[in-house]
Amino acid sequence: MTSSPRRVPIPKNGVDYRGKVVLAPMVRSGELPSRLLALKYGADLVWGPETIDKSMIGTSKRINPVTSTIDYSRVSSNGGRNPSVPLKESNIYRLHPAQEYGRLIFQIGTSSPTTAVEAASLVAPHVAGIDVNAGCPMPFSTSGGMGAALLQTPDHLASILSALVSEVGSVYDIGISVKIRLLETPEMTEALVRKLCGTGITGLTVHCRTTPMRPRERAIRDQLRMIADVCRHEGVACVMNGDVRNRDEAQQLMQEFRVDGAMLATAAEANPSSFRTMEEGGLLPWREVVQDYMKIALDVDNKWGNTKFTLGQLIPGKLQVYRKVTRCKGYTEACEALDLNDLLDQARAVDERLSISQIPEVAAVSNAKSKNKTAQAAGGRTGVERSSTSETRPALSERGVGRSTATAALAL
């Protein structure tokens, strides 16, 4: 009699990554409105953006009565320099307990078992899992011993996971997982995966690139079957990440490489309706996606700066409306530029709550700036030219992301 494959038990408040097509953790593109939109279009799970453990420790948690969200915030580190200016709170993490229930994975940036446990415990009652970022190659992460730097210290990474499993996962009945990159050789990758799977984690995601590689370089899938086999033997769900363009392709790749799940990253950043199957209609027109996104962003009082960034990814960069939106200073102006007249009243209310002023700069202020030598040295014409350049840069949709499979294949 053939025995069934071993599986690490999924805690009662956790979620099994098997059979799931999910939103990858992305800085700026993984904030609450983007996650809710991905779920609306069919994402099975969503990862929040990497949040550093030390930034969570010391935050205040409150239920926002206007947005029905749970907000973790702290007084800005820049506050207090001018006693006459009221201290402002910075929102560190925001989640929607109703709409994200059972589908949100909190990704943590950490280099310490102690601070990882302390930070994860704050959010654990409201998420379906905690995921450790062991793949970010950016200096802000690796310089602190986090992200991809952890791949060079596998015993230390394993100790972080073990601590989270025993002191957070077991306490709150949620799963602990890790996201890694490929190492220099298949043998090194295999040894790492075996070690991490032995810590009690329920899931492992592999970004099919090495640490030095950047997104423009094609993902490497040569080691994927081996990694999936190791995870399967250890009873851990294996999720692939890298150059997955839509749900249909994700399901094909899952079958081809025998992995349990797949992550969408840049494709979802450009057009989150990539989570829809072709049978469901495939990609939606950008205007429909933008309208859905703006409604959600307004519903949760999203920071305008993040909303503006996201609109820059969703709107084709060659269009006149793209340039209009990049000049907008708040929600009201953006809704007017996008002809979203039915959202104008809500936009004005949100602008007021967020203290967004869209009053044109008065002549006195403009004149003072023109005579400010320090400001000119820091920015001057260079700042203007840089702003002009950024307004006309191609959006993701202009760079082969979020298009149909046939078109995108030609661009790769």
Side-chain angles (χ1 to χ4, degrees):
M1 184 175 180
T2 305
S3 61
S4 58
R6 174 176 177 258
R7 286 196 177 191
V8 175
I10 304 300
K12 68 176 183 179
N13 296 327
V15 61
D16 195 343
Y17 294 172
R18 294 175 178 88
K20 306 294 195 298
V21 180
V22 307
L23 179 69
M26 292 181 285
V27 176
R28 294 190 291 183
S29 295
E31 297 294 341
L32 181 57
S34 298
R35 301 198 305 265
L36 295 181
L37 189 58
L39 290 171
K40 172 184 173 67
Y41 290 146
D44 298 307
L45 300 172
V46 289
W47 264 241
E50 177 194 20
T51 305
I52 306 303
D53 53 7
K54 293 178 181 178
S55 71
M56 282 293 291
I57 296 171
T59 57
S60 300
K61 183 180 81 169
R62 74 182 184 101
I63 298 177
N64 190 316
V66 176
T67 61
S68 300
T69 57
I70 295 177
D71 297 349
Y72 294 84
S73 60
R74 69 189 316 142
V75 174
S76 173
S77 59
N78 293 324
R81 295 178 181 176
N82 186 346
S84 64
V85 178
L87 295 177
K88 289 187 177 182
E89 281 198 330
S90 296
N91 189 63
I92 305 301
Y93 200 83
R94 172 173 286 171
L95 61 88
H96 201 295
Q99 295 187 40
E100 295 187 287
Y101 177 76
R103 299 187 289 178
L104 172 62
I105 307 299
F106 178 84
Q107 190 183 68
I108 189 169
T110 185
S111 61
S112 161
T114 303
T115 51
V117 168
E118 186 176 356
S121 298
L122 298 173
V123 73
H126 310 293
V127 299
I130 303 293
D131 185 71
V132 173
N133 183 337
C136 179
M138 304 306 292
F140 80 86
S141 187
T142 56
S143 63
M146 302 179 291
L150 290 170
L151 300 177
Q152 306 305 315
T153 55
D155 289 337
H156 184 56
L157 173 55
S159 72
I160 293 173
L161 294 174
S162 295
L164 286 169
V165 169
S166 62
E167 299 179 50
V168 179
S170 296
V171 173
Y172 295 95
D173 279 324
I174 59 175
I176 306 299
S177 59
V178 63
K179 188 170 185 284
I180 67 170
R181 285 189 174 228
L182 301 175
L183 295 184
E184 290 82 352
T185 68
E187 293 77 17
M188 294 174 67
T189 302
E190 180 178 356
L192 174 68
V193 172
R194 288 192 185 279
K195 180 181 289 290
L196 302 184
C197 285
T199 62
I201 59 174
T202 59
L204 180 145
T205 299
V206 56
H207 186 155
C208 296
R209 292 181 173 90
T210 60
T211 300
M213 294 177 66
R214 293 297 176 261
R216 64 179 178 275
E217 299 178 75
R218 186 182 292 274
I220 303 171
R221 295 175 180 153
D222 297 349
Q223 301 183 40
L224 196 49
R225 286 190 183 87
M226 174 270 290
I227 296 170
D229 288 344
V230 172
C231 287
R232 188 176 303 106
H233 181 267
E234 299 295 332
V236 173
C238 179
V239 179
M240 67 172 294
N241 173 221
D243 293 348
V244 184
R245 293 174 291 201
N246 53 58
R247 175 176 281 276
D248 287 330
E249 184 179 65
Q251 292 171 334
Q252 293 168 6
L253 291 169
M254 287 161 61
Q255 184 173 6
E256 178 182 352
F257 291 96
R258 302 194 299 271
V259 294
D260 299 302
M263 274 185 173
L264 272 63
T266 53
E269 185 177 41
N271 190 329
S273 67
S274 54
F275 283 104
R276 289 160 42 103
T277 64
M278 289 302 296
E279 187 176 339
E280 295 168 329
L283 291 179
L284 292 169
W286 72 266
R287 275 197 175 276
E288 185 171 344
V289 174
V290 165
Q291 182 169 1
D292 287 344
Y293 173 80
M294 282 292 283
K295 181 65 172 73
I296 294 173
L298 288 167
D299 286 344
V300 300
D301 283 6
N302 194 46
K303 294 179 183 177
W304 167 244
N306 178 254
T307 296
K308 184 175 181 178
F309 167 83
T310 305
L311 290 174
Q313 311 308 307
L314 300 176
I315 303 171
K318 293 181 180 179
L319 299 181
Q320 181 66 27
V321 68
Y322 172 88
R323 289 185 283 276
K324 287 183 179 180
V325 170
T326 59
R327 297 188 183 101
C328 291
K329 298 180 177 64
Y331 281 103
T332 304
E333 285 187 4
C335 285
E336 290 171 345
L338 292 164
D339 294 325
L340 299 177
N341 298 324
D342 57 327
L343 298 179
L344 276 173
D345 288 343
Q346 187 179 7
R348 294 186 185 101
V350 172
D351 280 340
E352 183 175 352
R353 280 197 297 273
L354 298 181
S355 301
I356 296 175
S357 174
Q358 297 168 97
I359 302 173
E361 188 174 75
V362 297
V365 175
S366 178
N367 184 53
K369 283 185 177 181
S370 69
K371 294 179 179 179
N372 188 329
K373 302 302 181 183
T374 303
Q376 289 175 5
R381 275 310 300 176
T382 305
V384 175
E385 289 165 1
R386 183 167 57 246
S387 175
S388 175
T389 302
S390 66
E391 288 176 2
T392 57
R393 66 164 179 78
L396 284 175
S397 56
E398 300 295 320
R399 289 179 260 151
V401 181
R403 287 181 270 176
S404 67
T405 301
T407 304
L410 294 174
L412 293 174

